[in-house]
């Protein structure tokens, strides 16, 4: 579905009208093409923290050109500041000193990353200073414009060697619709980063389960994981069997047709994965439904199905049961990853979606409940999409859809591939120290995020 508004603002008359009226002018976002370099340009690096001396070398291993000398007039595709050395609030001026001279030298669709220390792992003045970084990065994300993004990455002490996959994601076009987010590395469990043999095929040799895989966001998740080298096992309901089978044939994957809310679904999934694939490395709980209605009008209905119970069953209870069964049967391989698809509605709420928002907030609760319990290097994280352009959103009334797309720092809706790229980052074997995170894929919504 094309963005009619952006098409208008890109036209000669549209640019004039939008400037005159002070209307948002969304930039065309750069997205990743398979086989392309992670960063098409140079990244400027600064700071005096725990990672400062290693950053240029880390980026070099990713094929990213980086410099510490910014005295010339070159433009930059990205900026990375190591702020882990800030131990008191008076030192926060270092943020201005690094960024202000460089912000006007950024290329279009730039990437900005600030590295800090998890505030909960330090005390006193250092905790104050590190917590302040969140307000700085979220605000800069709403200022940067031109399709740019700004992120804060908290790196626990000892996890300095585990930042590669996260920097590869956040500095590349893969994170086109992710901005104003806070990521924690090494704050739960392992502080070690896994080995990635090939950054173009990080999932080579791994098996990925994707529920609700036949269309929409699920289809894009399957495609991106396949692009990154994974063997995809798609799951969907019998009504979507033909689409699912066609997609998995195209991706040289495997499929399983079932209703994930069925009593025996977790056991059938676990048995299939163990018998046919020897286990699974990536589990993506993507399947979901909406049954929207204001709570006052959501009375139980035996003949049409209970709107509240159906949504909770598909979106939350099924992922809980499947996850538990896979863990109990040790069907998830060592250093595997579990990813839940939540929603911005589960964070900020939404009119007519008490059932949906409860289910998606519960997905975040599942991450919180397991982040410190999982062993064998298994990680658990969630994505929380905002306004993603799909067949479902295409059915939303025009005025509502247009307003919904503009209420974020990028003034546009995201694409299913934006959610898929975020999940692929979580799934990477290099992300073994990335667990317990909820990252919003929402273009940094103006409210509630």
């Amino acid at each position: 579905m094309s963005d009619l508004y952006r098409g208008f603002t890109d036209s000669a008359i549209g640019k004039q009208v939008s400037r005159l009226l002070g209307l948002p002018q969304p930039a065309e976002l750069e997205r990743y093409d398979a086989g392309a370099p992670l960063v098409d340009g140079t990244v400027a690096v600064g700071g005096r923290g725990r990672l400062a001396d290693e950053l240029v070398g880390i980026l070099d291993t990713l094929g990213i050109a980086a410099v510490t000398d910014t005295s010339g007039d070159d433009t930059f595709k990205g900026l990375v500041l190591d702020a882990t050395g800030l131990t008191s609030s008076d030192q926060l001026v270092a943020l201005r000193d690094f960024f202000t001279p460089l912000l006007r030298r950024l290329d279009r669709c730039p990437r900005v990353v600030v590295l800090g220390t998890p505030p909960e792992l330090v005390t006193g003045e250092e905790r104050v200073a590190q917590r302040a970084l969140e307000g700085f990065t979220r605000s800069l994300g709403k200022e940067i414009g031109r399709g740019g993004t700004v992120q804060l990455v908290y790196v626990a002490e000892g996890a300095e060697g585990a930042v590669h996959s996260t920097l590869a994601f956040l500095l590349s076009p893969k994170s086109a619709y992710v901005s104003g987010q806070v990521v924690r590395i090494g704050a739960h469990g392992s502080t070690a980063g896994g080995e990635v043999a090939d950054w173009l095929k990080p999932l080579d040799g791994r098996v990925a389960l994707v529920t609700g895989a036949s269309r929409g966001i699920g289809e894009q998740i399957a495609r991106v994981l396949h692009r990154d080298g994974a063997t995809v096992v798609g799951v969907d309901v019998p009504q979507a069997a033909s689409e699912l089978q066609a997609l998995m044939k195209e991706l040289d994957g495997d499929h399983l047709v079932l209703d994930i809310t069925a009593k025996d679904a977790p056991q059938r999934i676990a048995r299939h994965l163990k018998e046919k694939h020897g286990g699974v490395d990536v589990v993506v709980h993507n399947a979901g439904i909406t049954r929207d209605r204001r709570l006052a009008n959501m009375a139980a209905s035996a003949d049409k199905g209970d709107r509240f119970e159906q949504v909770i069953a598909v979106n939350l209870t099924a992922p809980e049961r499947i996850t538990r069964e896979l863990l109990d049967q040790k069907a998830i391989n060592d250093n595997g990853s579990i990813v839940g698809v939540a929603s911005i509605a589960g964070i900020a709420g939404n009119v007519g979606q008490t059932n949906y928002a409860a289910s998606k907030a519960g997905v975040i609760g599942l991450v919180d409940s397991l982040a410190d319990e999982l062993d064998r290097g298994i990680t658990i994280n969630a994505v929380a999409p905002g306004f993603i352009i799909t067949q479902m959103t295409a059915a939303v009334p025009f005025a509502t859809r247009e307003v919904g797309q503009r209420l974020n720092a990028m003034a546009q809706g995201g694409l299913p591939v934006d959610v898929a790229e975020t999940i692929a980052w979580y799934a990477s074997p290099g992300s073994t120290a990335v667990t317990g995170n909820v990252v919003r894929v929402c273009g940094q919504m103006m409210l509630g995020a």
Side-chain angles (χ1 to χ4, degrees):
M1 183 179 69
S2 61
D3 188 331
L4 298 178
Y5 175 81
R6 202 187 78 201
F8 170 72
T9 58
D10 283 345
S11 68
I13 189 172
K15 288 178 181 178
Q16 294 180 356
V17 171
S18 57
R19 285 172 184 163
L20 181 65
L21 298 179
L23 298 173
Q25 294 180 289
E28 182 178 358
L29 302 183
E30 293 179 353
R31 291 183 167 88
Y32 181 74
D33 291 324
L38 290 173
V39 177
D40 184 15
T42 303
V43 174
V45 173
R48 297 182 178 177
R50 290 181 282 113
L51 294 102
D53 293 339
E54 308 297 330
L55 276 174
V56 172
I58 289 171
L59 296 182
D60 182 63
T61 65
L62 300 172
I64 299 173
V67 298
T68 56
D69 181 2
T70 59
S71 58
D73 57 2
D74 296 335
T75 60
F76 298 105
K77 195 64 175 179
L79 304 174
V80 179
L81 176 67
D82 181 1
T84 60
L86 304 184
T87 57
S88 61
S89 58
D90 61 307
Q91 297 174 358
L92 291 168
V93 70
L95 299 169
R96 182 207 60 197
D97 292 346
F98 176 73
F99 286 112
T100 299
L102 299 177
L103 288 174
R104 287 188 172 87
R105 293 167 57 187
L106 290 174
D107 201 349
R108 65 180 298 273
C109 295
R111 303 283 178 259
V112 173
V113 177
V114 175
L115 303 171
T117 302
E120 64 273 19
L121 300 183
V122 293
T123 59
E125 293 182 355
E126 184 176 3
R127 183 167 188 164
V128 174
Q130 290 297 319
R131 182 59 179 80
L133 299 177
E134 186 170 335
F136 175 85
T137 52
R138 290 196 195 281
S139 294
L140 183 56
K142 292 178 178 177
E143 290 182 10
I144 192 168
R146 291 175 293 161
T149 64
V150 182
Q151 326 289 352
L152 172 60
V153 179
Y154 281 132
V155 184
E157 191 165 356
E160 293 84 3
V163 301
H164 297 64
S165 70
T166 299
L167 289 176
F169 172 64
L170 296 179
L171 290 174
S172 76
K174 294 180 179 183
S175 57
Y177 201 60
V178 177
S179 190
Q181 298 307 292
V182 179
V183 176
R184 283 171 165 77
I185 300 178
H188 300 273
S190 174
T191 58
E195 294 292 327
V196 177
D198 182 354
W199 285 100
L200 295 180
K201 291 282 187 181
L203 299 178
D204 193 30
R206 295 168 79 86
V207 176
L209 176 79
V210 181
T211 65
S214 66
R215 61 175 73 93
I217 292 175
E219 177 187 347
Q220 283 302 313
I221 294 169
R223 290 186 180 280
V224 169
L225 296 182
H226 168 73
R227 178 203 71 192
D228 283 359
T231 297
V232 179
V233 181
V235 176
D236 220 319
V237 293
Q239 300 93 303
S242 59
E243 294 170 277
L244 177 67
Q245 291 167 6
L247 177 63
M248 290 304 113
K249 182 178 180 180
E250 177 187 346
L251 301 183
D252 196 25
D254 186 16
H255 69 274
L256 188 59
V257 177
L258 54 73
D259 180 346
I260 60 170
T261 65
K263 184 177 180 180
D264 63 345
Q267 291 77 21
R268 289 177 60 190
I269 291 171
R271 183 169 61 250
H272 183 89
L273 291 171
K274 291 179 73 174
E275 291 180 356
K276 292 201 66 176
H277 301 281
V280 66
D281 301 286
V282 181
V283 177
V284 183
H285 294 297
N286 166 72
I289 61 171
T290 57
R291 297 289 185 269
D292 296 353
R293 185 167 290 183
R294 288 176 179 265
L295 187 62
N297 301 321
M298 204 180 293
S301 174
D303 58 331
K304 296 182 179 180
D306 189 293
R307 289 176 179 265
F308 206 98
E309 288 185 0
Q310 285 179 341
V311 170
I312 297 295
V314 174
N315 298 359
L316 180 56
T317 305
E320 282 186 280
R321 294 177 61 233
I322 292 168
T323 298
R324 180 54 57 193
E325 184 69 22
L326 294 176
L327 290 171
D328 287 347
Q329 291 203 31
K330 295 194 180 329
I332 302 177
N333 298 326
D334 291 358
N335 299 317
S337 61
I338 304 165
V339 185
V341 177
S343 168
I344 197 70
I347 298 171
N350 209 2
V351 174
Q353 289 195 318
T354 52
N355 51 358
Y356 184 76
S359 71
K360 294 304 186 177
V363 170
I364 297 172
L366 181 62
V367 171
D368 292 341
S369 70
L370 290 178
D372 291 318
E373 293 184 15
L374 297 174
D375 57 8
R376 297 189 292 115
I378 298 172
T379 63
I380 184 167
N381 298 280
V383 293
F387 193 103
I388 304 297
I389 299 171
T390 62
Q391 289 181 334
M392 183 175 70
T393 57
V396 174
F398 177 79
T400 303
R401 185 174 70 243
E402 284 303 303
V403 171
Q405 289 187 81
R406 309 308 157 199
L407 294 179
N408 60 73
M410 296 179 182
Q412 60 190 289
L415 301 179
V417 71
D418 298 321
V419 180
E421 295 283 16
T422 308
I423 290 171
W425 156 56
Y426 281 146
S428 169
S431 298
T432 52
V434 180
T435 192
N437 288 274
V438 179
V439 166
R440 297 185 284 275
V441 186
C442 64
Q444 196 181 8
M445 289 185 69
M446 291 299 184
L447 300 174

